[in-house]
Amino acid sequence: MKNEILVHDHWFEPYLSAEQIQARVVELGRKISVDYAGKRPLFLAILNGSFMFAADLVRACDLECELAFIKVTSYRGLESTGKIETVLGLNVPLEGRQLILVEDIIDSGNTMNALLPDLHKMGPSSMVIAALLLKPECLKHPLHIEYLGFEIPNRFVVGYGLDYDGLGRNLPAIYQLKK
Ligand code: IMP
Ligand code: MG
């Protein structure tokens, strides 16, 4: 794992190694495989940030499942704008499906809070959240996260799908903004 890295104008330091992330994702996958044994859940990954987590999570799940994507955006630079835009719509019917929403990180919870009622209207039979990261200090809405990777402090992170203004998504590990 690299030491400090420069992304645009900010320095970031190592926070979670690729090995730590993989180990946790495998645990989550095992849990999902047990909970959904004999069922056929639909993973709905929220782009862009969750693409890497979703790819690893579904591979860690030993069950019949489907994967679809939706794209929403709420961040500009290092801060949440609070408003979400759905950029890429959904082309799979959710009616009667057992949905597992896959999110890279839950910060204010604005994205999930805005998205959940819309998805609910589409009639899934169940809907749970799988999130790799949660910043509990930032959460503005009560959200139940069924499958959570790590709780992290309120510091901006990049890597493993997460970006800072478009950069850093390809890093295999997660880095935290230096103080
Ligand atoms: P929320 O709506 O405030 O919960 O933010 C959710 C979205 O903001 C996440 O899906 C991420 O794409 C992005 N985000 C939140 N915190 C970070 C961070 O520390 N690094 C990179 N992206 C973040
Ligand atoms: Mg995201």
Side-chain angles (χ1 to χ4, degrees):
M1 183 164 183
K2 287 184 202 166
N3 249 326
E4 294 180 357
I5 53 162
L6 183 64
V7 184
H8 291 297
D9 49 346
H10 282 88
W11 285 95
F12 290 78
E13 57 194 12
Y15 183 61
L16 293 168
S17 69
E19 293 73 23
Q20 282 173 293
I21 299 167
Q22 276 323 307
R24 189 68 186 122
V25 172
V26 165
E27 285 176 0
L28 296 178
R30 288 214 182 102
K31 183 142 200 308
I32 292 172
S33 308
V34 172
D35 295 351
Y36 287 84
K39 300 174 179 166
R40 190 189 290 169
L42 171 63
F43 289 89
L44 184 59
I46 303 168
L47 294 173
N48 293 330
S50 72
F51 79 97
M52 212 176 270
F53 175 46
D56 286 340
L57 187 64
V58 294
R59 277 182 287 186
C61 288
D62 183 17
L63 41 75
E64 206 172 76
C65 63
E66 289 175 46
L67 174 62
F69 298 92
I70 186 172
K71 182 164 176 172
V72 300
T73 170
S74 75
Y75 255 69
R76 294 281 177 278
L78 298 169
E79 279 173 48
S80 178
T81 58
K83 280 182 279 177
I84 78 151
E85 279 167 68
T86 305
V87 187
L88 192 82
L90 190 62
N91 54 3
V92 205
L94 301 186
E95 181 83 41
R97 299 304 307 265
Q98 293 177 304
L99 266 194
I100 303 176
L101 301 180
V102 183
E103 202 21 326
D104 51 353
I105 183 166
I106 296 181
D107 182 307
S108 64
N110 285 334
T111 306
M112 275 298 166
N113 194 56
L115 201 56
L116 289 174
D118 287 353
L119 294 174
H120 194 77
K121 282 183 210 144
M122 301 174 80
S125 62
S126 67
M127 185 159 65
V128 301
I129 300 171
L132 181 68
L133 306 171
L134 169 71
K135 291 179 183 164
E137 295 159 52
C138 305
L139 203 58
K140 292 192 208 144
H141 311 275
L143 279 179
H144 177 70
I145 304 169
E146 195 74 33
Y147 305 102
L148 176 64
F150 304 90
E151 288 195 355
I152 66 167
N154 182 17
R155 303 237 315 258
F156 197 83
V157 287
V158 293
Y160 195 70
L162 292 134
D163 73 307
Y164 165 35
D165 264 350
L167 294 182
R169 292 194 197 279
N170 60 316
L171 297 163
I174 292 178
Y175 296 78
Q176 196 175 48
L177 185 65
K178 275 193 80 175
K179 280 187 185 147

